[in-house]
Amino acid sequence: MRHTISILVENRFGVLTRVAGLFSGRGFNIESLTVAETQDPQVSRMTIVTRGEDRIIEQINKQLNKLIDVIKVTDVTAEEHVERELVLIKLNAEEKNRPEILRMTDIFRGKVVDVSARSYTVEITGSDSKIKAFLEMVRPLGIQEVARTGKVAISRGARTLAPKNK
Amino acid sequence: MKLTGAQIIVESLLAQGVDTIFGLPGGVVLPLYDALYGSKLKHILVRHEQGAVHMADGYSRATGRCGVALVTSGPGATNTVTGIATAYMDSIPMVVITGQVPANLIGNDAFQEADIVGITRPCTKHNYLVRDTKDLARTIKEAFYIATSGKPGPVLIDVPKDVLTKQAEFLYPESVHIRSYNPTVEGHIAQVKRAFEKIKASKKPVLYVGGGMILSNAADELFRFATGCHIPVTTTLMAMDSFPTRHELSLGMLGMHGTYAANMAMHEADVIIALGSRFDDRVTGNLAGFAPNADIIHVDIDPTSIGKNVAADIPVVGDLMDVMKKLNAMRAEDKTDWADAHREWLKTADEWKNLYPLRYDRSPEGKIKPQYVIQQAYELAKGMDPIFTTEVGQSQMWAAQFLTFEKPRTFLTSGGLGTMGYGLPAAIGAQAAFPNRLVVDIAGDGSIQMNIQELITAVQYGLNVKVAILNNGVLGMVHQWQELFFGKRYSASEFQVNPDFVKLAEAYGAVGLRATKESEVQDVLKEAYRTQKPVLMDFAVDREEKVFPMVPAGGTVKDILLA
Ligand SMILES: Cc1ncc(C[n+]2csc(CCOP(=O)(O)OP(=O)(O)O)c2C)c(N)n1
């Protein structure tokens, strides 16, 4: 099963390598990984999407916790949460395609962020299924390039992942 | 007061209570070696950096304190990797300080640059590249704290040359707080209670003890619990010295070369109490056939060890010292007649012990059996408070099987990584900690050649270790597998030639002794133990001898080869 794991880490060099190395060194798979600073510049947040049986996921969680620079690990899959990903899609923009691109972009509440004689670049934000659906719809028009950010996730409601002040 | 980075390191180590370090200098660490000159820190100059790390490891295992090694950048640093990985696999607390090229050159393929932080990331508990002299003291404090707390392990600190030469205010921190690192020490009382109730309800329990028992210094508590509850004890290679070998509750080692009784007891047990052990594949064999009837209680300080290979019915995260004390307290309150409860089970275990005890045949022609040497190495050392180290191979397994252990931290062996070349430097490290005890390395003729250069280190510092080489002229364990599983096709396992170990010892200024007949063994050992110098003993042993019992890799107790 697919799991989305949120991790707070110390914002230090080498931390990303430690986390990535933990996955590669144990043969765990990473589907996507994002990392950036949080509201506290000393703390970064990673979101990792991975797949595996419960036993593997439990090991991943424990192993992540074992890393000295990891402050907190939460598997958000089990709780109410919001997941989003941003995708930039460069599409063939011949005359006849343009209205269809604009229509699709509108339906999916995307934006055209760059235009040239031969291409339109569209920005779409959403859940996995929305992005998948959009890509399906525009595929016949000719996709030139896709860049995805990978997923970010956050719990619904008042719950936070913020580090406890121990 | 302002000090240079080099002085800060020396002062920090002293403040940390370090008395001895093991190392070898080179370009970028010269400022640090200069600061060591005339300081109160004793520095043992090795001949190869791998030796320095194994010595720090041996020092650590023998004393329970954190060993320290110091090396230069590049090749000095890369030479430490096997030693660090060895310590990592066995959770040995250690701090390794490596020099690094100046910070502004890092990444430029500078002379003697190696990304040792990157190289050792997967084999250290944690590692640091220090970028600012003012971070040094705190980093060292953190490194010792991380190395020695929770599940211990090696920590590496990489220090660029300019960080050694620049100055900063020195204040050694009294304490450390790392918000992202808070190992659980105290076992959850409700879980311990559940474990105790499960043990009470069991008819056929086994204590399966691993290296964690040694690391947490809880062997006395184990003894109290096992004898109080009349539960048989089997140990892994890492914990042979956690329970007295000759006690009636001892089943000896389990696993691939474990005793018949230990493996049968695990197989028939209704409750297995795993204490600081991790169900390694050399212990379990084929997981599908492992301990089919047992509920598992698993106590470990490392949550990742629990449920990794074998699912635990009752997991307990905590330091064994704490958990064993809690278990003993519960036992003291409890009125169970344990002797009665486990009488049948212990009788069965005794039958297994008597049916297939560890044994070997003496040679009618008076050839030397390696097991005989090992037994004598212990018998003649009794009363001298001996510490035994090992290399790896058949000799290591025979040492585990045929030595007798009385107290913890007296059997130093590379379990997890199985590093040939460990035993001699580890013995030197242990001897440096305890100059007056007898320290003996049980070696093979292959392994001893992997770090033989350290013999001169022993000579230089008067660290009078004794090495018993069980010389069979082959890479014995490899030879054994080839004989049993590869149709006697002895590919690259037979040494066509070996050095003359007696002359070699003499060349080093040590003493060399040789025995070629069983009748000479005792005299050689006695002489070696009497000699106030490092001694290499060359025992020409019967190469046909094999390590039995053996559960072939991936097998179960049903596949056990007894001879
Ligand atoms: C550094 C290293 N290289 C290779 C091995 C694989 N290996 C395990 S046992 C063994 C043979 C050891 O031979 P020796 O030291 O002569 O001991 P014996 O088995 O003969 O007692 C080898 C090569 C190892 N454990 N460590």
Side-chain angles (χ1 to χ4, degrees), chain B residues 50 82 370 391-398 417-421 443-450 469-479 493 495 547:
Chain B
Q50 184 187 350
T82 302
E391 305 290 341
V392 170
Q394 292 180 310
S395 53
Q396 178 188 36
M397 290 299 113
W398 286 318
L417 199 65
T419 307
M420 293 169 69
D445 49 314
S447 298
I448 194 60
Q449 296 186 66
M450 289 215 178
I469 303 173
L470 306 175
N471 188 347
N472 52 13
V474 290
L475 292 165
M477 189 56 95
V478 172
H479 209 254
S493 62
F495 292 126
V547 184

Side-chain angles (χ1 to χ4, degrees), chain B residues 246-480:
Chain B
R246 294 202 174 156
H247 195 280
E248 57 188 11
L249 289 172
S250 172
L251 301 172
M253 181 167 72
L254 81 169
M256 179 176 278
H257 291 299
T259 64
Y260 178 76
N263 286 321
M264 282 305 287
M266 290 293 278
H267 195 259
E268 298 291 318
D270 61 359
V271 171
I272 289 174
I273 308 142
L275 303 171
S277 48
R278 59 187 172 94
F279 296 92
D280 166 89
D281 53 277
R282 282 288 187 267
V283 159
T284 62
N286 183 357
L287 279 173
F290 174 72
N293 311 317
D295 284 334
I296 310 267
I297 298 168
H298 195 169
V299 186
D300 205 291
I301 196 152
D302 175 15
T304 63
S305 292
I306 299 179
K308 184 168 60 182
N309 299 329
V310 171
D313 299 287
I314 304 182
V316 184
V317 177
D319 187 337
L320 275 172
M321 185 63 116
D322 176 78
V323 175
M324 294 311 294
K325 279 194 169 143
K326 286 181 175 145
L327 282 172
N328 275 323
M330 289 173 192
R331 178 184 53 83
E333 301 268 286
D334 193 87
K335 305 242 158 20
T336 306
D337 182 348
W338 298 97
D340 188 55
H342 298 151
R343 182 164 295 121
E344 279 303 306
W345 174 232
L346 289 174
K347 216 178 103 214
T348 310
D350 269 341
E351 282 163 15
W352 287 327
K353 284 205 250 183
N354 295 330
L355 188 57
Y356 298 113
L358 290 170
R359 58 178 293 281
Y360 65 95
D361 291 320
R362 303 274 280 274
S363 143
E365 309 97 78
K367 281 201 230 164
I368 304 178
K369 295 293 178 154
Q371 300 95 326
Y372 175 78
V373 177
I374 289 169
Q375 280 179 331
Q376 291 304 314
Y378 165 75
E379 291 300 330
L380 297 169
K382 264 193 276 188
M384 299 163 95
D385 203 8
I387 295 172
F388 288 94
T389 71
T390 77
E391 305 290 341
V392 170
Q394 292 180 310
S395 53
Q396 178 188 36
M397 290 299 113
W398 286 318
Q401 292 178 335
F402 291 96
L403 284 172
T404 300
F405 303 100
E406 293 159 54
K407 64 176 197 183
R409 301 195 179 278
T410 55
F411 186 56
L412 320 184
T413 192
S414 166
L417 199 65
T419 307
M420 293 169 69
Y422 170 79
L424 172 59
I428 296 171
Q431 190 85 74
F434 297 108
N436 299 320
R437 285 170 71 177
L438 175 67
V439 184
V440 184
D441 174 26
I442 304 288
D445 49 314
S447 298
I448 194 60
Q449 296 186 66
M450 289 215 178
N451 273 317
I452 188 72
Q453 77 286 346
E454 298 310 329
L455 192 54
I456 196 70
T457 308
V459 169
Q460 176 172 344
Y461 293 94
L463 299 168
N464 298 327
V465 298
K466 317 298 171 199
V467 182
I469 303 173
L470 306 175
N471 188 347
N472 52 13
V474 290
L475 292 165
M477 189 56 95
V478 172
H479 209 254
Q480 170 164 342

Side-chain angles (χ1 to χ4, degrees), chain B residues 12-249:
Chain B
S12 299
L13 292 176
L14 286 170
Q16 192 63 45
V18 175
D19 53 18
T20 308
I21 65 176
F22 305 89
L24 192 142
V28 298
V29 286
L30 286 180
L32 182 46
Y33 271 85
D34 192 60
L36 276 175
Y37 195 73
S39 87
K40 285 201 281 293
L41 268 181
K42 177 159 189 196
H43 178 275
I44 304 235
L45 172 61
V46 301
R47 299 303 190 268
H48 186 297
E49 291 86 349
Q50 184 187 350
V53 181
H54 289 327
M55 285 179 206
D57 175 313
Y59 178 97
S60 180
R61 291 190 209 222
T63 61
R65 298 201 298 271
C66 190
V68 179
L70 168 60
V71 302
T72 191
S73 67
T78 54
N79 270 349
T80 65
V81 172
T82 302
I84 294 173
T86 302
Y88 182 69
M89 289 292 276
D90 292 344
S91 307
I92 303 305
M94 175 190 295
V95 169
V96 178
I97 300 174
T98 52
Q100 183 55 278
V101 300
N104 64 332
L105 294 183
I106 291 178
N108 283 4
D109 294 337
F111 178 62
Q112 294 197 327
E113 178 183 356
D115 174 14
I116 197 63
V117 168
I119 290 170
T120 60
R121 200 171 282 126
C123 63
T124 49
K125 184 170 171 187
H126 195 55
N127 60 17
Y128 295 91
L129 171 63
V130 182
R131 306 203 154 189
D132 193 327
T133 308
K134 69 177 182 350
D135 296 336
L136 260 178
R138 183 187 45 80
T139 304
I140 293 171
K141 184 79 188 177
E142 276 187 20
F144 275 90
Y145 171 58
I146 290 170
T148 55
S149 58
K151 176 175 178 156
V155 177
L156 181 136
I157 310 175
D158 198 25
V159 191
K161 182 173 184 182
D162 53 313
V163 174
L164 290 176
T165 52
K166 281 184 192 143
Q167 293 198 329
E169 207 59 50
F170 174 63
L171 182 72
Y172 198 62
E174 297 252 310
S175 61
V176 268
H177 170 72
I178 305 172
R179 66 170 159 183
S180 51
Y181 175 68
N182 299 287
T184 308
V185 174
E186 289 187 20
H188 196 286
I189 189 76
Q191 284 299 89
V192 180
K193 186 80 196 158
R194 276 182 67 203
F196 185 71
E197 293 303 326
K198 173 66 87 183
I199 295 167
K200 247 176 81 171
S202 72
K203 299 222 155 38
K204 303 193 252 173
V206 182
L207 290 157
Y208 151 48
V209 180
M213 193 62 77
I214 304 290
L215 292 165
S216 66
N217 297 309
D220 286 349
E221 297 292 332
L222 168 67
F223 188 83
R224 242 165 260 147
F225 190 73
T227 52
C229 298
H230 296 255
I231 301 177
V233 180
T234 177
T235 70
T236 68
L237 178 67
M238 298 312 300
M240 297 307 299
D241 47 348
S242 67
F243 194 80
T245 314
R246 294 202 174 156
H247 195 280
E248 57 188 11
L249 289 172

